[in-house]
Amino acid sequence: QQQVKQSPQSLIVQKGGISIINCAYENTAFDYFPWYQQFPGKGPALLIAIRPDVSEKKEGRFTISFNKSAKQFSLHIMDSQPGDSATYFCAASKRNDYKLSFGAGTTVTVRA
Amino acid sequence: SQTIHQWPATLVQPVGSPLSLECTVEGTSNPNLYWYRQAAGRGLQLLFYSVGIGQISSEVPQNLSASRPQDRQFILSSKKLLLSDSGFYLCAFGTGDRSPLHFGNGTRLTVT
């Protein structure tokens, strides 16, 4: 069963708009939440990660928001650019667990 | 710096033929190693992972096997490929629990 539920499956946004991807989890032991970006034909690459002791982390145009009580976290892509068109995966992990639980992925298309 | 090499980039194999995909890591010792498979337009399915030489954990019972003959070498094998083995195979490494995974560029396998 999928331990991290990701939505939407795909989204289309105009250049300059905001892309929002949401993830939810059940296991309260999770304490590391990375996001990966994957371009076609390439392996996923770490984009940004957050731990539950902060509610928000920003790196450039990418922001993770984290709501511990709701067990949800989201990725916001501000001022979306065509080069941001990719598949994005959220993931979660916990202490002494060497595996990441991945969401199903969201394909983002940014139209010029 | 830490790098991961995965080859070949593409492979076309007939049904019933054997398979060997190789992955090597540089720049770190005793990495955790992973094999993932990604079907077209789908998420990341963990196949095998290893936290040390000779130690392999299988996540999904199937037609594939993995081996770790050296600290930084991970091999994915099959004795007889099935059509359903087609997909995008990704090797990854990590350096501990709750640490990011670093993916290779993948092998596109087509079984005909």
Side-chain angles (χ1 to χ4, degrees):
Chain A
Q1 95 231 25
Q2 196 130 40
Q3 296 196 59
V4 179
K5 297 190 188 314
Q6 183 173 348
S7 63
Q9 186 175 9
S10 63
L11 67 91
I12 300 173
V13 63
Q14 293 297 121
K15 180 181 175 182
I18 302 174
S19 304
I20 302 175
I21 305 169
N22 299 300
C23 289
Y25 63 98
E26 287 298 324
N27 191 336
T28 56
F30 284 148
D31 62 357
Y32 174 66
F33 302 90
W35 285 86
Y36 286 82
Q37 179 188 54
Q38 183 181 29
F39 294 107
K42 300 293 185 183
L46 179 68
L47 185 63
I48 186 173
I50 197 169
R51 296 191 187 273
D53 52 344
V54 298
S55 60
E56 185 175 282
K57 183 174 181 180
K58 184 176 181 179
E59 288 187 5
R61 297 183 292 105
F62 299 89
T63 299
I64 300 178
S65 298
F66 185 81
N67 186 330
K68 188 174 181 178
S69 61
K71 293 183 286 186
Q72 295 176 348
F73 57 111
S74 60
L75 176 70
H76 291 63
I77 307 174
M78 314 300 287
D79 186 27
S80 296
Q81 299 298 310
D84 298 331
S85 296
T87 299
Y88 294 82
F89 293 94
C90 62
S93 180
K94 59 186 185 292
R95 184 185 296 273
N96 295 325
D97 186 357
Y98 299 98
K99 300 177 290 183
L100 281 176
S101 295
F102 281 95
T106 297
T107 300
V108 174
T109 303
V110 182
R111 297 225 190 275
Chain B
S1 63
Q2 299 173 347
T3 56
I4 180 169
H5 303 280
Q6 186 180 346
W7 66 93
T10 60
L11 191 60
V12 180
Q13 293 283 100
V15 168
S17 64
L19 173 73
S20 181
L21 302 180
E22 189 167 341
C23 168
T24 59
V25 176
E26 295 178 357
T28 186
S29 297
N30 195 31
N32 300 323
L33 297 172
Y34 307 81
W35 280 110
Y36 285 85
R37 178 169 60 197
Q38 189 174 28
R42 304 292 295 275
L44 298 160
Q45 179 187 32
L46 179 62
L47 302 176
F48 302 95
Y49 71 98
S50 170
V51 298
I53 295 176
Q55 186 279 329
I56 306 292
S57 295
S58 173
E59 289 294 297
V60 183
Q62 57 200 325
N63 187 39
L64 302 169
S65 63
S67 62
R68 184 172 178 171
Q70 300 182 46
D71 181 42
R72 291 171 288 179
Q73 183 184 28
F74 208 23
I75 296 173
L76 182 70
S77 304
S78 174
K79 292 182 179 179
K80 289 185 177 181
L81 283 169
L82 306 172
L83 285 173
S84 57
D85 292 323
S86 294
F88 190 46
Y89 288 83
L90 291 155
C91 183
F93 77 94
T95 55
D97 67 337
R98 296 172 295 159
S99 68
L101 292 187
H102 304 277
F103 286 84
N105 279 327
T107 295
R108 176 77 57 193
L109 172 66
T110 303
V111 182
T112 60

